[in-house]
Amino acid sequence: MIEAKVNPGACGLKSVIRAESPDMMTATVTIQSDCPAVLKYAEQVKTVDAMKEVFSPFGTSNVFKAAETTLSHPVCPVPTAVLKAAEAACALALPANVEISIQKLD
């Protein structure tokens, strides 16, 4: 099982994504979150066809399409974390941290 913890930044509404794959092609995804919108999103991404989703052209993934109808903030990192967790659960990539560091420079 893969676990991805998401600290989204200013909103402070953390999420935990767990993904596991019995067949190395699809991932079963569960999401716990402090965010009501992410909980709605979680209902639509319970199973991810990793072979299809991870290699889809940018913007055509069902994981991102589900975000369009449930998440109100387009820079929410949860959809990307779902794909990264599914990708690692299906052994399409090693489980490795992703980091975005933002700071104001004078």
Side-chain angles (χ1 to χ4, degrees):
M1 178 180 299
I2 299 295
E3 181 177 87
K5 294 181 180 179
V6 179
N7 181 353
C11 76
L13 300 174
K14 296 179 181 179
S15 298
V16 176
I17 299 148
R18 291 188 183 93
E20 59 185 330
S21 177
D23 61 5
M24 307 307 275
M25 294 181 72
T26 59
T28 302
V29 175
T30 58
I31 302 173
Q32 296 173 324
S33 183
D34 298 331
C35 177
V38 170
L39 293 175
K40 287 182 189 176
Y41 172 75
E43 292 298 315
Q44 295 188 29
V45 293
K46 292 182 178 185
T47 303
V48 174
D49 181 345
M51 290 299 293
K52 177 182 175 191
E53 296 292 312
V54 170
F55 299 110
S56 291
F58 217 95
T60 62
S61 165
N62 290 328
V63 169
F64 282 104
K65 286 183 181 182
E68 289 178 5
T69 61
T70 56
L71 302 178
S72 57
H73 198 54
V75 297
C76 176
V78 169
T80 297
V82 167
L83 283 179
K84 295 297 285 181
E87 179 183 48
C90 292
L92 298 173
L94 294 173
N97 289 338
V98 175
E99 182 178 337
I100 299 171
S101 178
I102 300 174
Q103 56 184 282
K104 183 178 178 183
L105 302 176
D106 292 327

